[in-house]
Amino acid sequence: MDKKIISAQLSGRTIAVSDIHGHLDLFEQLLDKVHYSVQDNLIIIGDYVEKGEQILETIHRMQDLALCQNVYILNGNCEWAVLDMVYHSFHLKHYLNNVSYSIFHEVFRKHRIDYRQHEESTLKILAQLLLKEELVFIESCAVMLKTKEYIFVHAGIEDRLDFENSSLSSLLEQRYFMNGQHPLAQCVVVGHLPAANYHLYHIDNRIIIDENKRMISIDGGVGVKIVCQLNALIINQGYQTQYVRPFKRATIRKAYYPGICHHHKVTWPHYEVDVLKRQTEFSLCQKVYNKEKLSIKNEFLYLKNDQWYCKDDYIDYHVSVEVNDVVDVIDIYGQYAYIIKDHEVGWILKDCLMNM
């Protein structure tokens, strides 16, 4: 992939979205929610492919949107990986065997090709032929958009005035950009690392705006985390934010008051835990990397090579709810529901939910 950098002069309302990851329905809901029109500037900050179940449909939507004058589709590390597996590395078959959803799974399934019956070299040729237009489109996209006031890039820039000379790896896959700094007058808007990763004790997917550092992080974790949302940053004489979530809404029919609770969180990349005491619903565990104890729902625990793991980001907090509150239901696990009340993630008894 070329390190293509483009510049533009933007006027009017600008909407930035990142890390759609093949979730076209959520993306369309988000566009509706922000009342997107062709007069708006729309910037997709990479990772529109992989991880979701609508990858081909999503990339075709990107192709259509790119025909509009005020739309800028940027590439992220997932687009880079797709091109690398097709044209350079020899990891395609390994990748197919180890992920559930990819653009390759979709196109091979569409053409009734069993990838397990073919050699790596054959799969690469087939992918090049069957995804010819999609690959050309990905290759045509830039990795950075520069304006007078903003830099839009998937993962971040290096801390240097000649930021255009940042390595492609830095632009597309560096981690924890928001914890660093940069010397530019412009504000740098990124996706890539879910915003929830910056919170030590809460699961919070909202956009992070740090005006002092001139940094904004907008990835809501779709396709990566169980608890997620797709975010939109709206720039129009200030900042507004909007989001959609892939969960059903439910009304509370019975109040739940768990008493005083503390937030204990398991988060990437520290998923290793020791199980201290197995119990019916929640087991007492201890995080390996810092020895902090917490209760983990049994459905979130799994054993691999004699080591216990928590399967995803997790919070052990129990949420207080009142009758007629409306919540997002992430899922039901045993006698408990994992929910989001406003932006507070945690547990309640499932009997508190109406019609669940």
Side-chain angles (χ1 to χ4, degrees):
M1 178 187 291
D2 291 333
K3 194 173 66 178
K4 182 179 177 182
I5 298 171
I6 58 175
S7 300
Q9 293 182 349
L10 304 182
S11 61
R13 192 171 74 143
T14 294
I15 301 166
V17 181
S18 79
D19 297 83
I20 301 164
H21 283 305
H23 291 76
L24 181 60
D25 290 345
L26 270 184
F27 177 62
E28 297 293 3
Q29 290 175 35
L30 186 59
L31 291 186
D32 288 343
K33 199 167 184 179
V34 300
H35 307 293
Y36 167 70
S37 74
V38 292
Q39 282 74 42
D40 294 318
N41 305 299
L42 178 63
I43 304 169
I44 308 300
I45 315 180
D47 278 14
Y48 44 88
V49 301
E50 303 310 271
K51 304 184 189 300
E53 298 184 37
Q54 300 172 291
I55 299 166
L56 284 172
E57 293 175 88
T58 301
I59 193 171
H60 295 158
R61 179 70 163 123
M62 296 299 114
Q63 289 174 284
D64 291 339
L65 284 168
L67 299 175
C68 301
Q69 184 176 0
N70 300 327
V71 175
Y72 305 87
I73 312 294
L74 304 180
N75 284 334
N77 60 295
C78 283
E79 289 77 34
W80 186 18
V82 165
L83 294 179
D84 184 64
M85 281 184 282
V86 170
Y87 295 120
H88 303 294
S89 72
F90 290 89
H91 303 305
L92 179 54
K93 193 161 188 176
H94 175 79
Y95 180 67
L96 286 162
N97 286 330
N98 285 276
V99 302
S100 299
Y101 305 107
S102 76
I103 193 171
F104 307 113
H105 284 96
E106 281 196 22
V107 75
F108 290 152
R109 184 167 58 249
K110 178 180 178 181
H111 292 275
R112 299 181 179 180
I113 295 171
D114 184 352
Y115 73 86
R116 293 165 295 188
Q117 304 301 316
H118 297 280
E119 297 295 326
E120 172 86 13
S121 57
T122 302
L123 291 174
K124 288 163 72 78
I125 293 170
L126 287 170
Q128 292 175 33
L129 291 172
L130 299 174
L131 293 169
K132 182 177 179 179
E133 292 184 6
E134 291 83 359
L135 295 172
V136 168
F137 173 74
I138 292 174
E139 288 184 291
S140 73
C141 292
V143 298
M144 182 191 298
L145 171 65
K146 300 189 300 181
T147 76
K148 182 180 178 180
E149 296 179 324
Y150 295 93
I151 303 293
F152 298 92
V153 62
H154 183 64
I157 59 172
E158 294 172 6
D159 184 12
R160 52 196 290 179
L161 285 170
D162 60 339
F163 63 97
E164 293 98 337
N165 292 324
S166 300
S167 68
L168 187 59
S169 177
S170 292
L171 300 177
L172 299 185
E173 60 183 8
Q174 70 169 288
R175 299 171 180 171
Y176 292 104
F177 173 68
M178 296 287 288
N179 289 345
Q181 60 185 15
H182 69 82
L184 308 183
Q186 294 109 311
C187 181
V188 182
V189 184
V190 301
H192 184 55
L193 191 77
N197 283 32
Y198 289 103
H199 300 284
L200 293 177
Y201 300 107
H202 296 78
I203 295 178
D204 190 340
N205 293 298
R206 284 176 289 183
I207 289 172
I208 301 172
I209 300 173
D210 190 330
E211 296 196 60
N212 291 327
K213 283 188 171 184
R214 302 176 305 285
M215 294 177 173
I216 301 178
S217 175
I218 72 171
D219 179 9
V222 166
V224 177
K225 298 181 182 291
I226 292 173
V227 184
C228 63
Q229 62 191 44
L230 187 62
N231 292 321
L233 173 70
I234 304 161
I235 305 171
N236 189 19
Q237 297 180 342
Y239 299 123
Q240 294 176 300
T241 64
Q242 195 53 270
Y243 65 90
V244 292
R245 293 176 178 145
F247 309 121
K248 292 182 179 179
R249 303 277 278 167
T251 302
I252 298 298
R253 69 178 183 87
K254 184 170 65 175
Y256 183 65
Y257 304 119
I260 297 174
C261 292
H262 298 285
H263 292 80
H264 301 103
K265 182 184 177 185
V266 178
T267 190
W268 178 89
H270 303 295
Y271 291 134
E272 300 89 348
V273 298
D274 292 324
V275 177
L276 305 180
K277 184 179 180 181
R278 290 283 286 181
Q279 299 180 106
T280 304
E281 294 276 354
F282 296 86
S283 291
L284 179 62
C285 300
Q286 180 174 270
K287 292 189 280 185
V288 169
Y289 91 102
N290 69 355
K291 307 304 180 184
E292 183 180 59
K293 294 178 182 179
L294 74 165
S295 295
I296 298 181
K297 198 71 179 70
N298 291 332
E299 290 88 343
F300 277 74
L301 293 168
Y302 71 95
L303 187 64
K304 181 179 179 182
N305 298 328
D306 297 322
Q307 174 64 60
W308 285 99
Y309 293 87
C310 186
K311 71 176 182 179
D312 196 67
D313 282 19
Y314 174 88
I315 195 90
D316 67 352
Y317 185 71
H318 285 245
V319 181
S320 295
V321 291
E322 303 278 356
V323 174
N324 294 325
D325 281 350
V326 178
V327 301
D328 289 293
V329 181
I330 301 161
D331 211 338
I332 304 294
Y333 299 92
Q335 298 302 308
Y336 288 83
Y338 203 26
I339 62 124
I340 309 173
K341 177 187 173 184
D342 298 323
H343 293 280
E344 191 75 74
V345 178
W347 298 92
I348 63 172
L349 285 166
K350 73 174 183 181
D351 291 345
C352 298
L353 298 170
M354 192 177 295
N355 301 321
M356 295 294 289

